[in-house]
Structures are given as structure tokens and as C-alpha cells.
Amino acid sequence: MITTSATGASPPTGSLGSPAIVARGLTKRFGAVTAVGDLTFEVRPGHVTGFLGPNGAGKSTTLRIVLGLVHPTAGSATVLGLPYASLDRPASVVGAVLEVQSFHPLRTGRNHLRVLAAASGFPDTRVDEVLEIVDLTGAAGRKAGGYSLGMRQRLGLAGALLGDPRVLVLDEPANGLDPQGVRWLREFLRRFAARGNAVLVSSHLLSEMDQMADEVVVIDRGRLVRQGAIADLTGGRSSLWVSSRDHAALGRALIAAGLEPRPDGDAGYTVPGAPADLVGEIALRAGVALTELNTRETTLEDAFLELTEGAER
Amino acid sequence: MRNQVTSEARKLLTTRSVWGLLAGTVVISGLAAWAVAANMRLTGPIGLAGLPGFQEMMALVPAFVLVLGIRSYTDEARHGSLVPTLLSTPVRRRMIGAKVAVAGLAAIVFAVAGATTVVAVSSLVLSIDGVAVTVGSIGALIWLLAKVVGVCLLWSAIGVGVGMVVSHQVAAIVGSLVWLFALENLLDALAPDLARYLPGHAGMSALGVEAYGTLGPLTGAWVLAGWAAACLALGAGRFQRRDIA
């Protein structure tokens, strides 16, 4: 449940007909290291946009630039048409969770939220409402330092929701959540977006993102690799999965035939773009007994690995 | 700005550390007052503003206020709450202003608590020794309290500034106290003409502590104010440019 209760907030600036978040040519260098390079993307209202990239791709830095925490070396980012620092009441426009640990451990959950509510002029009644939304009411009087990882995530989300914002920016929000919590988060974000709001969420849980997001922005080494609907990335394409007890021999045979098998688990390979009958023939000629050969729809994970393949980590 | 001040006040009042620092102020001031008053050899009645050694008894209160000011920023940097704070208040100078204001308000409370403790303990000890303690000159008493409050206000601002420059909490607190209680005294032995312009010495002069009183209260206060302005300017400059990564 998410409420739309009055929080005393003035109407946010900008229009939801246009992109909720716009990043143009974002570049951030830390000394000789370019964390983000000429990155341009948009986040549309009414959608959950997944922000994907390998570890160290620059996702967190990008989110922090969007939220005014990190100064870009070049480029600009706006939220509902304005730089974050220029928003009149930012907490009423954007709710963000960037870190699991973002509170004084000796402060109670409720007091942490009261501190944040006061900074934006929200009444304490709103604190109780968001505690209820994230199901933390029972633990609100306990010191936040004693919370589990999942409870910390929910406390962060409660803080983000204080201003009943129109844009959510979340960095790895599913970390530490149990399966029920992950499902709750997914459904919550989808309902939030369905009301015309925008969500930008980074995650390394690609299967989760597959179910949660409508669109994705994929970056690698600070640069945009692809932006688009998940359906466009994966739709209409399939890949072949083949396995054998003699994993090494199968791999050699496929490579020798000019294919590009990608190890997928201990026993098999994903072979993009290869028909099943061809792979069967290759295995037969090589004398490799197959244990499984099937075609499956390309998942977001497959598409992501294809897009970021070759990255040296 | 009022919202930010309210938020900062809530931060201060919702952890125990501020109460620990206040208790420390009261205990140390009380012990200092007891030690000084117990060794006085007074006979006649005495007014509160004329209590011998009053300024010396208050000399440690600014150290607690300094730590309070340092923690105002470093607590947030240490525990990660700086991120939600800046998301609520992205205009950083507004956040700094609120921290300075709330640390200043707390400094007034600390100064009054320390002064009240000194007066109460001194009066009690002297009364037990048979010395009559009277209220005396109200004007002189207010002037005495004003000096303590003013010096504590400036030290709280120095604390906020130091915290923003040296955001590592332990380094900032230990470094400041070592500077205050060791290095300044060392410099005093080596170059007394220079040392009297250092913040600890200037603060003592502003309080009217005679051993450090070469600058006089007014000049001492101006020099301390200069240090406060410099620390805040340096800290604010660094914080404005800092990436919260």
C-alpha cells in the first residue's frame, strides 16, 4: 500500500509528460580514472527503469551525480527538468536510497525518520504512515543499528517515501531482503510506476530486474551500452543450451565448428545464434554424447552478458 | 532554514552522546569549582561575580563544546547519514548554517550549565567554610556569563569547521584536543608572542583567565572570532567541493 496523503508539500516542479530524469553527457573523472564517460540516458515516468552494469561500471557514481552528491566533471543531469539542487522541495520530488547504512546506529528508526521529516517540513504523522507502508511500525522504537539488513533497506525506503515523491532512485534495493521482501518490493515499485511515477533502480539481480523493470539502461565502464525496453533487448531471440558429461570435449567441438559457446554452469554451454540440428550434428561428428539440447528464450541475463561481454574485470 | 535547524536539533537530541558531553561539562566544572573553592582562604562575604578563579573553573567547558561541534558533522560522515541529509537539503551552505546554529544553541546551554555548576558548587563549599556568598552585582554577573557564552559560541563554530575539514571523527577530536592541551602549551614555551594569538590562548584571554590574559578579553574574543571564521570558511569550502561518493 502506498498512500497519497497530504504531506504539506508544494506541487513539485516539472511535468511528468516529459522525461523524469535526463542525463546528458555525464562524465566523472577521479584523477586518472574515468568512472563515467559521456553518459546520456533518460528515465520515463510510468516505467520502472533498471540501471544495469557490471561491478565498477559507474552505476552508483551516476546515481550520485543525478542526486547532486557528486559533482560531474562534465555534462548535466536534471530531475523533472531541474538540477537536483535547484528543486524547491527535493524530498517531495525524488525519494532515494543509495546506501543500506545511512543512519546513526544509536538513533531509533522512528527518530531517524523524524530527523528527515523535519528537514523537509513534513509532519511526524507522515513518519508513522511510511513506517506502516514498509512494515516497520513494530520495530520503530528500536535502535536502527540493531536492525537486520532487510530492515535497514526498508528503513531507507521509508525515508525515501516521506515526501510522497514522484521519482524513486534506488541503488540495489533488494540486497538483504528475503524472498517475500523482494516480491513486496517488486510489486510496490510496479504499482508506484503504474501511477505515472518514475523509478530508476540499479541492481545486479538480473532475474529480479527481468520481472521488475520495463526498460533498462545498460552501462559498462562508465559508458552507455544500450537503453531500451527489456522486450526489445530479449524479444524474438532465443539461444541454445547444450550439455554433455564431457564438458571440455563439447566446448572444443563447438569452437572448432566456428561457434561461440558460452559456459553456463558446470555442465553446459549457451550457444547464441546456433540452430539445434547443427549443434547436434557437431556433437555427433565429434563423438560427444549430449545430455541435454534445448532452445530457450533469451533472458535479460543473456542479453546483459552479450552486451557487456569482453569487459575485463 | 527553520526546517534544517529543527532537523539538526532533533539529531542532537536523539542520541545519548550530547547528554554525555553535557554531563561531562557539569562534572568537570563541578570538580574544578570544588578544588578551587576548597583551597580558598576567604573570610568576608563575597558576591557571585567576584568568586576567585571563576574563569579558570570554566576553562574546560569550551573543550566539550568544541567536541560537540566537531561531532555535528563527523557523526554524519561516519555513519552515512550525510547522504539522506544532503538529499533533503542539497544546498550545502544551508545545512552548514543549520549545524552552526544548533551547535551554537547547544553551546549556550553548555555554558550556562557549566557556569551554574561552578556557582552552585563554589557557593556550597564556601558556605560550609563559613563564607557568606551573596548575589552581588547583577551586571557583573551577566558580563561574566556573557563572556563564557560568547567564547563557547565561538568554539562551537570552530568545532563545526574543524569537523568539515577533518571529517574523520577520531582524528578530528583527538587532534583538536592534543592541539589545545599540548601543542599550544609547547608553542607557548617556545614562542609566547606567537602563542597568545592561537585559539586556545585567545579563548582564555577572552574568558579573562589571567595566566593567558596578555591579549585582554576584547582582543582575545576578536582573535578567537577570527579563528572561528577561518575554520568555518575552510571547512565550508572543502565541503562544498567534496564528492559524497
Side-chain angles (χ1 to χ4, degrees):
Chain A
M1 162 187 74
I2 181 165
T3 67
T4 53
S5 65
T7 58
S10 57
T13 50
S15 160
L16 281 182
S18 49
I21 297 175
V22 177
R24 289 270 177 267
L26 284 187
T27 299
K28 179 63 185 179
R29 295 190 194 94
F30 294 104
V33 177
T34 300
V36 180
D38 196 25
L39 181 60
T40 295
F41 67 90
E42 292 182 351
V43 175
R44 295 192 294 152
H47 294 77
V48 176
T49 301
F51 194 39
L52 309 180
N55 288 339
K59 301 189 296 293
S60 293
T61 302
T62 303
L63 296 184
R64 283 166 189 267
I65 292 173
V66 169
L67 296 170
L69 296 169
V70 168
H71 306 291
T73 309
S76 64
T78 57
V79 182
L80 298 190
L82 291 171
Y84 189 84
S86 300
L87 293 169
D88 184 25
R89 298 182 72 176
S92 298
V93 180
V94 185
V97 184
L98 299 183
E99 293 172 346
V100 179
Q101 175 80 39
S102 56
F103 48 78
H104 194 298
L106 299 180
R107 198 170 282 139
T108 66
R110 175 175 278 110
N111 279 336
H112 168 70
L113 295 174
R114 286 180 68 239
V115 164
L116 298 182
S120 298
F122 304 138
D124 283 353
T125 51
R126 182 61 184 161
V127 169
D128 294 327
E129 288 173 10
V130 293
L131 282 167
E132 188 71 31
I133 291 170
V134 301
D135 197 21
L136 264 185
T137 303
R142 285 168 43 196
K143 289 188 175 68
Y147 283 5
S148 68
L149 194 56
M151 291 165 82
R152 291 171 188 218
Q153 286 282 21
R154 285 186 279 146
L155 181 63
L157 190 58
L161 296 174
L162 272 172
D164 198 10
R166 296 164 71 184
V167 180
L168 277 179
V169 177
L170 310 173
D171 196 1
E172 301 281 0
N175 274 0
L177 294 182
D178 56 22
Q180 288 89 345
V182 172
R183 173 180 284 188
W184 173 86
L185 178 70
R186 180 199 315 144
E187 291 171 357
F188 172 80
L189 293 181
R190 294 205 64 83
R191 278 200 306 273
F192 183 83
R195 291 168 48 223
N197 300 312
V199 179
L200 176 61
V201 54
S202 85
S203 177
H204 67 278
L205 301 175
L206 296 176
S207 57
E208 186 52 44
M209 199 61 80
D210 213 352
Q211 298 179 64
M212 186 189 293
D214 309 296
E215 299 187 344
V216 289
V217 175
V218 182
I219 68 170
D220 189 16
R221 284 177 278 190
R223 293 185 180 278
L224 182 71
V225 175
R226 181 79 178 264
Q227 169 162 23
I230 287 185
D232 292 340
L233 257 66
T234 60
R237 294 194 299 136
S238 60
S239 57
L240 196 73
W241 197 81
V242 57
S243 68
S244 166
R245 289 197 177 86
D246 194 346
H247 185 71
L250 175 61
R252 283 194 299 272
L254 293 170
I255 290 169
L259 299 178
E260 295 177 352
R262 200 165 53 223
D264 189 353
D266 291 335
Y269 294 93
T270 296
V271 191
D277 54 353
L278 173 64
V279 171
E281 273 184 39
I282 292 169
L284 181 65
R285 280 202 301 271
V288 176
L290 298 182
T291 52
E292 194 170 343
L293 176 65
N294 63 50
T295 304
R296 67 182 188 190
E297 292 297 313
T298 298
T299 63
L300 178 60
E301 183 174 301
D302 297 327
F304 173 81
L305 290 173
E306 274 180 36
L307 289 169
T308 58
E309 204 168 40
E312 291 174 18
R313 297 287 148 204
Chain B
M1 184 70 172
R2 198 180 67 179
N3 291 340
Q4 280 73 39
V5 170
T6 306
S7 179
E8 289 298 328
R10 283 186 176 180
K11 283 177 195 168
L12 196 66
L13 297 173
T14 52
T15 54
R16 286 183 190 164
S17 57
V18 66
W19 304 113
L21 285 171
L22 186 58
T25 299
V26 168
V27 169
I28 292 292
S29 302
L31 285 173
W34 176 78
V36 173
N39 290 302
M40 283 181 190
R41 294 290 175 262
L42 298 175
T43 50
I46 188 167
L48 287 177
L51 281 173
F54 177 86
Q55 290 90 335
E56 285 81 355
M57 298 177 211
M58 293 297 298
L60 288 175
V61 176
F64 287 92
V65 172
L66 172 69
V67 171
L68 184 88
I70 289 172
R71 293 194 61 166
S72 167
Y73 177 85
T74 57
D75 257 6
E76 297 228 60
R78 180 180 177 189
H79 298 299
S81 58
L82 195 55
V83 168
T85 293
L86 286 176
L87 291 177
S88 304
T89 311
V91 180
R92 298 185 183 189
R93 63 176 180 277
R94 203 174 286 170
M95 188 204 87
I96 296 169
K99 286 193 180 297
V100 171
V102 172
L105 288 171
I108 294 172
V109 173
F110 275 52
V112 170
T116 305
T117 305
V118 164
V119 165
V121 172
S122 299
S123 302
L124 183 66
V125 172
L126 291 173
S127 299
I128 291 170
D129 285 348
V131 178
V133 180
T134 63
V135 174
S137 165
I138 296 291
L141 198 59
I142 289 173
W143 171 237
L144 205 59
L145 189 61
K147 281 196 290 188
V148 175
V149 167
V151 167
C152 284
L153 273 172
L154 292 172
W155 275 111
S156 70
I158 289 173
V160 176
V162 167
M164 288 189 292
V165 174
V166 187
S167 53
H168 189 281
Q169 187 168 72
V170 175
I173 292 174
V174 172
S176 296
L177 295 180
V178 167
W179 171 267
L180 210 52
F181 294 115
L183 294 180
E184 276 207 24
N185 289 326
L186 186 65
L187 284 168
D188 189 33
L190 298 172
D193 286 345
L194 174 70
R196 62 188 181 149
Y197 292 101
L198 297 175
H201 282 63
M204 291 293 190
S205 294
L207 273 178
V209 177
E210 289 179 6
Y212 297 87
T214 53
L215 289 179
L218 197 59
T219 309
W222 277 112
V223 172
L224 189 64
W227 279 104
C231 287
L232 275 180
L234 188 62
R238 287 200 62 172
F239 180 53
Q240 291 278 8
R241 293 189 300 274
R242 186 172 293 158
D243 286 328
I244 311 301

